[in-house]
Amino acid sequence: MQLFRGINVVSISVTDLDVARDFYANKLGLGEPLFDMPEMDWIEFGTGGAGDISVITAVEGWQPNHGTTVVLTTDDAHK
């Protein structure tokens, strides 16, 4: 029997939750967050498919890196 059935949430560290909220909600078109809990340093968005994306406040000393890649399914990548 397979232990995992899919991905539930991918979390991405960000330095500014307000900027991330606007980007994911409006620029990427994910709309209103499923959970918007800045007091817990966490905002989660549904993707319309399997798995959600959350943004979390980066810890002190965090540096941007290229270690996280999220690939979203779309009918029109140019949009």
Side-chain angles (χ1 to χ4, degrees):
M1 176 170 67
Q2 185 174 345
L3 182 60
F4 300 107
R5 293 179 284 127
I7 295 173
N8 187 331
V9 178
V10 172
S11 295
I12 300 168
S13 295
V14 298
T15 56
D16 188 317
L17 282 178
D18 291 328
V19 171
R21 181 188 296 107
D22 179 62
F23 177 77
Y24 285 91
N26 299 312
K27 303 287 190 288
L28 288 184
L30 296 180
E32 292 297 313
L34 299 173
F35 302 99
D36 193 344
M37 302 178 351
E39 69 281 0
M40 296 181 70
D41 298 320
W42 179 47
I43 302 171
E44 185 173 329
F45 296 89
T47 63
D52 295 339
I53 294 176
S54 71
V55 291
I56 58 173
T57 302
V59 297
E60 187 175 332
W62 175 85
Q63 293 292 314
N65 63 63
H66 301 288
T68 302
T69 301
V70 177
V71 179
L72 301 172
T73 303
T74 181
D75 292 328
D76 187 349
H78 294 285
K79 282 185 179 180

